[in-house]
Amino acid sequence: PLPIRGRAGARRARETRGGSGALFQPRLSPGREDLEICSLRTGVPPPWNAPRGLWRAAWRLQEAALPQAHRFDRYLEKSSFVNLPVLWWKAIAGNRRGTPTADGGLAWDLLPPVFRWVVGWPLCWLYPPLHHQNVAIRTAYLDRALDDALEKTAGQAAVVVLGAGFDTRSLRYLARRGEESGLSFSELDLPEVVAQKQRVLDHRLSRRRPGLLSVDRRPRLLGVDLNSHESLAQALSEALGSSHHPEQVVFLCEAVLLYLRPPGRRAEVLKQCVAAARGIPGVERVTFVFADRLPGVAERDRDAPRAFGANVTSMDRTERGQSSVGVDAGDSGMASGRSAPFWARFDSEEERARSFWSSVSPALELQDWLPKPGLACHMGIATGKLEAQQQPQTSSTTSASSTEWERVSPSNKGPKDT
């Protein structure tokens, strides 16, 4: 028989390869410990190292169950870009009392009656740690990162959430800090998503939690198409124009950039955000808190333009047996052979991320970096001070960001782990 050390080593090798003895271990790729590090830093246990078939089965089960749960729901009847599944996953994590993601059942209160009890307490503990556990990790990280960003500003701060969906973070923060002057939240998403969220806040949450949605505790909801330069410019103007002279603007991105196309639009959106913050008098600092997918930063995106230009709306099409090359390449406006952005030449993901944020604005520095498996595989904080003497940029100046992508790409021609 093997000695104890040998047995432990053999067991660890089986776990690293994803053997049958690793069901309750993190989903670690060979030589990587991303999930273990994320778990230690956030205090959220990692998801199971379950076989891919189990992950696919869980995804298909929730795809079949959600339409039935919302069959008679007058407020949340449509899921855009996986918004509804994420809400249910956050309700599971939020109902687990004593955990870093516990929200007192706030996300749960957005769900339809009767059916919501299947994820209520204590039934929420019966669900195996799969998709919702990945979302719980990024939720815990973003909460701490946002706390860190807000601590840097003693005065007023404006938080703009890009692609907020049905997230309840703004409600939690305004309920906790709403009495403190100077904190405002604006949420940007598709008009149909904003309309649904407005209805569920007015008719469901206001009834279940009267007094929560007072004037100083209500986020500003703005409909926007992030793929449109003009639409985003108008929404940012409304979001920041309603704030009372903030000293810092914080942009929060949670699994939204990976849906934008063409790939150059991702950097362009962030540049528009910096330009909008710079145009507000008195703003001294701009900060990005993100759990998303930065273009050309992930290792598998460096030499595969289609991968970081793909628009993912559900499970990867390749996992469903569909050919994703023609579909995604056409959707994203990329042809095979197009060059990746200049920051893809760096060896490490962190170096590529630093270079990416400096390309968005020379003032931005990567303050924190925490990669994790999944589609939204980059978590971190990028922040920088804005020069007071700089003048607000006009729309014609910000529109030049589209040509910047062409300059960094000289040859430019022509189940889900969340």
Side-chain angles (χ1 to χ4, degrees):
L2 293 173
I4 294 178
R5 176 180 293 183
R7 288 176 177 173
R11 182 171 62 253
R12 190 168 188 84
R14 288 196 305 269
E15 293 172 357
T16 303
R17 292 193 300 267
S20 59
L23 181 62
F24 298 98
Q25 299 296 326
R27 294 190 66 191
L28 303 181
S29 301
R32 297 185 64 185
E33 298 180 342
D34 293 353
L35 273 176
E36 185 177 352
I37 297 174
C38 291
S39 177
L40 291 174
R41 287 192 54 182
T42 61
V44 178
W48 281 0
N49 187 30
R52 286 190 176 273
L54 183 58
W55 285 76
R56 293 193 189 100
W59 180 267
R60 289 166 182 162
L61 178 62
Q62 64 89 21
E63 275 191 327
L66 283 188
Q68 302 305 317
H70 291 272
R71 187 172 185 178
F72 304 104
D73 191 351
R74 295 176 296 171
Y75 310 127
L76 299 177
E77 74 280 1
K78 183 179 180 181
S79 178
S80 300
F81 297 95
V82 209
N83 276 330
L84 278 184
V86 171
L87 174 60
W88 283 83
W89 296 336
K90 291 190 175 184
I92 294 174
N95 277 335
R96 293 184 170 181
R97 304 170 187 174
T99 65
T101 55
D103 64 0
L106 184 56
W108 184 65
D109 280 338
L110 299 185
L111 298 178
V114 181
F115 288 101
R116 68 175 181 147
W117 288 99
V118 300
V119 295
W121 192 88
L123 296 181
C124 59
W125 289 101
L126 299 179
Y127 292 86
L130 295 173
H131 298 93
H132 74 268
Q133 203 70 6
N134 265 330
V135 174
I137 288 176
R138 78 185 191 205
T139 297
Y141 177 85
L142 288 175
D143 287 346
R144 294 187 180 184
L146 184 56
D147 287 337
D148 180 75
L150 295 178
E151 287 176 1
K152 288 181 170 54
T153 304
Q156 299 189 357
V159 181
V160 180
V161 186
L162 302 178
F166 304 130
D167 185 58
T168 59
R169 181 174 289 107
S170 60
L171 296 171
R172 288 191 283 113
Y173 272 77
L174 290 175
R176 191 175 69 209
R177 308 173 61 155
E179 301 300 329
E180 303 176 11
S181 61
L183 180 62
S184 66
F185 271 83
S186 298
E187 296 185 357
L188 278 58
D189 212 314
L190 293 171
E192 62 184 21
V193 176
V194 168
Q196 291 183 81
K197 189 168 188 176
Q198 190 68 62
R199 290 198 302 268
V200 80
L201 293 182
D202 291 341
H203 301 285
R204 180 169 292 161
L205 192 62
S206 61
R207 186 180 68 254
R208 292 173 175 172
R209 298 200 177 207
L212 177 65
L213 298 176
S214 58
V215 176
D216 61 336
R217 295 183 178 182
R218 180 181 287 266
R220 185 181 179 90
L221 306 182
L222 298 171
V224 62
D225 178 7
L226 293 178
N227 284 312
S228 168
H229 179 93
E230 294 75 15
S231 178
L232 178 58
Q234 180 179 353
L236 290 174
S237 177
E238 293 184 35
L240 298 179
S242 61
S243 304
H244 299 288
H245 307 292
E247 297 180 9
Q248 178 183 208
V249 178
V250 181
F251 294 97
L252 192 147
C253 308
E254 182 179 4
V256 59
L257 298 178
L258 58 90
Y259 293 105
L260 303 181
R261 62 179 188 267
R265 183 59 191 157
R266 304 182 188 183
E268 187 177 335
V269 164
L270 302 178
K271 292 177 182 179
Q272 278 190 260
C273 292
V274 175
R278 184 176 284 122
I280 303 300
V283 174
E284 300 175 357
R285 177 178 292 274
V286 61
T287 301
F288 288 89
V289 175
F290 59 93
D292 217 307
R293 190 182 189 89
L294 305 180
V297 172
E299 185 64 33
R300 57 181 172 177
D301 293 347
R302 294 178 67 188
D303 301 319
R306 183 203 64 79
F308 72 82
N311 180 42
V312 183
T313 57
S314 184
M315 295 176 62
D316 191 343
R317 290 188 179 97
T318 57
E319 293 187 359
R320 291 173 176 255
Q322 299 179 15
S323 174
S324 59
V325 176
V327 175
D328 288 342
D331 287 351
S332 62
M334 302 189 68
S336 58
R338 287 191 179 184
S339 298
F342 72 91
W343 54 83
R345 70 176 184 268
F346 293 102
D347 292 332
S348 72
E349 286 193 3
E350 184 172 357
E351 289 176 331
R352 294 194 288 272
R354 291 185 184 279
S355 181
F356 168 76
W357 284 111
S358 66
S359 74
V360 172
S361 173
L364 290 175
E365 295 182 359
L366 190 65
Q367 176 181 308
D368 190 41
W369 176 250
L370 184 62
K372 78 172 188 66
L375 290 175
C377 54
H378 302 136
M379 302 192 297
I381 305 173
T383 185
K385 291 186 177 181
L386 299 179
E387 298 181 8
Q389 67 270 21
Q390 286 186 290
Q391 298 297 322
Q393 297 189 14
T394 62
S395 58
S396 59
T397 305
T398 56
S399 64
S401 56
S402 59
T403 60
E404 267 188 55
W405 179 270
E406 296 176 2
R407 288 200 296 270
V408 301
S409 183
S411 61
N412 189 11
K413 303 177 182 178
K416 171 180 161 111
D417 286 4
T418 312

